[in-house]
Amino acid sequence: MPSAPILLPRRRRLLPVVLVVLLHWIVLTELGHVSPVLPPAATPGGAPVTLVAQLLPAAAPEPAPEPVPVPEASLPPLPRMPPVPVEIAVPDRPGDITPVTDTAPSGDGAGAAPAAPVPEPIPAAPAPEAPPASAPAPAAPPPPPAAPEARRYVIDMPPPAKITLDVARTDADGTTWSGEALLAWQSNADSYRIQVEAGIRVVFARVNLLVLKSEGAVATTGFAPITMTEKRRGRAMTATHFNWGKGLITFSASEAMYGLPPGAQDKASIPLQLAAIARGDPKQLTGAIDIFVGEDRDAAIYRFTVVGQEAIDTKLGTLQTWHLTRPPQPGSYKSRLDIWLAPAHGWYPVRIRNTEPNGAVTTQTVNNIVLDHSGS
């Protein structure tokens, strides 16, 4: 039997082998649940140790975990498009809406064939945007009223003169006033100028209530006004324009426009135009004497009729006159205008009376006539 010192080197050689086996066993146990069976330790002096590794049956395998579902690849988000404009047609009237009815034939019983499904409408492509409509042209102003047919008169222009008149006014409430008025006109070969002033006396002062100025041409039809201005106390001045080239009457105080007939007058020239008609031929003072007159804001036909021959008292004495009147005309002027012409004094107007709608009356009666040759 060998001695212990001889066995010691063998054991030293066996120790690393054992360590290696143990390490493999540990690894196999952890990984494959292998249970190695080691032989009994070798007896001293025995044959070399043979290691037999017996693999034990593996334990029942645990159920494999369910595979984690792989998330489906999501599509990239679509670009955000602006909504397509939809034009909704709105009917002009409620009656323009036509209800949609089911046109499929109705069956008598269960054997009737079901109506075919209506396919969804395919959205139509948006219509091309219509070009913006051009702005409508401004409407042309309405044409002025046609000028009335004028009656033709034989004219004999009265000589230039200054006529002064006494003014007596009675207001609607009965208050009375007195004053003085002036009717003056000058002329040369082809033009004229007329000025009318009417005022009252307040204590020792004279207050003008009305000032009219007319300028124009002398024509075969008599006075042919071009411009007439009117200034009333407490009001702004207004102007009336007679455009004979265009045949129009226009006004600064309104947008009215009238046709301009031959023989048209203004408020300042109308008394002298009546004198020119009477001087041309007294027989023309018959029937209705129609004269188209432009005022401060509009124009109208003044229709005069002869009341008759009358004698009036004046500071020049009793005068024989022809009395003409223009009564109120519905829809036009509402005042009454009376004029007295004196044949013995060149047919000049020697009395003028205006009766207003409220009842106030203003009467101008001649007190002097002075012929004016400065412009002739």
Side-chain angles (χ1 to χ4, degrees):
M1 179 175 180
S3 60
I6 298 174
L7 295 176
L8 184 60
R10 292 183 179 179
R11 292 181 178 177
R12 289 180 179 176
R13 290 193 298 269
L14 182 61
L15 182 60
V17 174
V18 173
L19 290 177
V20 171
V21 171
L22 287 176
L23 288 177
H24 279 80
W25 178 77
I26 292 172
V27 171
L28 292 175
T29 301
E30 292 298 330
L31 295 179
H33 299 280
V34 178
S35 300
V37 178
L38 299 178
T43 56
V49 178
T50 303
L51 295 179
V52 178
Q54 181 180 1
L55 296 178
L56 297 178
E62 296 182 2
E66 296 182 0
V68 179
V70 179
E72 296 181 0
S74 59
L75 297 176
L78 297 176
R80 186 177 182 83
M81 302 295 291
V84 178
V86 179
E87 184 176 352
I88 302 177
V90 180
D92 295 336
R93 302 182 304 278
D96 291 341
I97 302 177
T98 303
V100 178
T101 58
D102 187 4
T103 57
S106 61
D108 295 337
V118 180
E120 294 185 2
I122 300 175
E129 206 171 301
S134 58
E149 186 68 24
R151 178 182 171 186
R152 299 287 181 168
Y153 298 98
V154 179
I155 298 298
D156 182 14
M157 300 289 287
K162 291 181 179 179
I163 304 173
T164 56
L165 307 101
D166 294 324
V167 175
R169 176 177 172 83
T170 302
D171 289 341
D173 60 1
T175 305
T176 59
W177 304 87
S178 61
E180 191 174 63
L182 170 68
L183 172 58
W185 81 282
Q186 299 173 335
S187 72
N188 53 31
D190 55 3
S191 64
Y192 77 88
R193 175 184 174 88
I194 298 175
Q195 181 166 340
V196 176
E197 296 180 5
I200 58 175
R201 287 188 294 271
V202 180
V203 188
F204 299 105
R206 180 175 182 270
V207 178
N208 275 340
L209 301 179
L210 173 67
V211 176
L212 300 175
K213 293 182 180 180
S214 174
E215 297 181 355
V218 176
T220 57
T221 56
F223 294 89
I226 296 177
T227 303
M228 190 270 292
T229 59
E230 177 174 345
K231 178 66 175 73
R232 291 183 178 271
R233 187 171 182 268
R235 298 183 186 179
M237 180 181 292
T238 61
T240 304
H241 303 281
F242 298 75
N243 190 326
W244 296 96
K246 295 183 179 180
L248 294 176
I249 301 178
T250 57
F251 312 88
S252 66
S254 73
E255 296 182 357
M257 188 180 299
Y258 291 85
L260 179 56
Q265 302 297 311
D266 58 37
K267 291 194 293 186
S269 64
I270 189 66
L272 293 174
Q273 180 72 5
L274 288 173
I277 292 173
R279 286 169 61 90
D281 186 352
K283 295 179 182 179
Q284 297 179 120
L285 301 180
T286 57
I289 303 173
D290 292 340
I291 301 177
F292 194 68
V293 179
E295 300 184 292
D296 57 333
R297 300 178 63 87
D298 53 16
I301 296 177
Y302 282 19
R303 172 162 288 184
F304 291 92
T305 59
V306 178
V307 177
Q309 299 184 42
E310 298 177 9
I312 64 173
D313 294 330
T314 71
K315 290 184 178 180
L316 297 179
T318 301
L319 302 177
Q320 297 297 322
T321 64
W322 286 60
H323 180 193
L324 285 72
T325 184
R326 183 213 67 183
Q329 180 174 329
S332 183
Y333 44 82
K334 299 179 180 180
S335 63
R336 177 186 178 98
L337 178 62
D338 293 272
I339 298 177
W340 287 260
L341 302 177
H345 290 76
W347 292 91
Y348 282 121
V350 293
R351 176 172 286 177
I352 302 174
R353 177 176 294 160
N354 186 62
T355 306
E356 300 173 19
N358 62 3
V361 179
T362 303
T363 303
Q364 305 174 56
T365 304
V366 66
N367 63 34
N368 194 18
I369 299 176
V370 178
L371 297 180
D372 185 359
H373 301 284
S374 61
S376 56

